[in-house]
Amino acid sequence: QSLRDILTLMPTGTDEEWGAIASRLEAIPAALDKVRSSFEQGMARGVLPARRQVLGTARTAAVCAGLEPEAEGEQPAAPWFEEFASGYAGADTALAARLAAGASGATSAYAECAAWLRDVYAPAALEEDAVGRDRYVTLARVYCGADIDPEDTYAWGWHALARITRRMNACASRL
């Protein structure tokens, strides 16, 4: 999802900015290959995620590729990357062609990724969800850049929520 989301954060006002988007689109297949390689190394070492997480990621990739609908009962939308690239309204036909080709390559890469996740990675994944203190502490170190005590963090979170709730209620009373 991050590979897709970064495109929505990029400026789109000039041909130069659309050129940067084309470069990013062209790089998506190689980026997904690297992700897959990392997952394969993890499988070889027995470092596996929860199956439910893998299947959710596979579904997101399939939706981006236009293979599945966003919501039940809907038809699949146009492939996300192709829809995004079609937003280019400039006159540079070579750039438009690069964007279209990059979007097509990204769409194919996401479709392949979805299939690999479902057919290869999910069957190897763990049935139980990836939860618990040990996993939390490890991921907290990754995301926070520091070791934290989960119990202290939990208590702090509840304290902060109570403080914010009191302030919101006081504000609502004044209004």
Side-chain angles (χ1 to χ4, degrees):
Q1 185 172 338
S2 297
L3 295 175
R4 181 196 76 183
D5 290 349
I6 191 67
L7 297 172
T8 64
L9 299 174
M10 296 179 71
T12 58
T14 67
D15 282 359
E16 184 177 280
E17 291 166 345
W18 277 103
I21 289 170
S23 294
R24 290 248 169 108
L25 284 168
E26 292 162 346
I28 285 175
L32 286 178
D33 284 345
K34 290 178 183 178
V35 169
R36 179 175 167 175
S37 176
S38 294
F39 289 168
E40 288 170 338
Q41 290 175 25
M43 285 178 13
R45 293 189 351 240
V47 179
L48 299 164
R51 182 170 293 121
R52 184 167 61 144
Q53 183 180 12
V54 173
L55 293 173
T57 303
R59 186 174 187 296
T60 297
V63 168
C64 286
L67 301 174
E68 290 186 19
E70 184 78 33
E72 193 172 313
E74 294 180 1
Q75 293 296 317
W80 189 90
F81 297 100
E82 294 173 17
E83 193 72 21
F84 182 77
S86 73
Y88 174 68
D92 185 335
T93 56
L95 177 56
R98 266 188 77 206
L99 286 161
S104 178
T107 297
S108 295
Y110 264 68
E112 290 171 18
C113 179
W116 183 85
L117 287 167
R118 283 195 177 117
D119 299 342
V120 178
Y121 203 41
L126 304 174
E127 191 59 41
E128 65 273 1
D129 283 339
V131 297
R133 188 184 199 288
D134 292 342
R135 287 183 187 246
Y136 179 85
V137 169
T138 300
L139 289 174
R141 186 180 313 116
V142 169
Y143 288 105
C144 296
D147 290 321
I148 63 168
D149 180 278
E151 288 79 16
D152 286 347
T153 303
Y154 185 77
W156 171 82
W158 277 109
H159 177 74
L161 179 61
R163 185 183 79 252
I164 292 167
T165 300
R166 283 192 303 274
R167 290 177 67 188
M168 286 181 358
N169 288 338
C171 183
S173 293
R174 284 192 310 271
L175 293 175

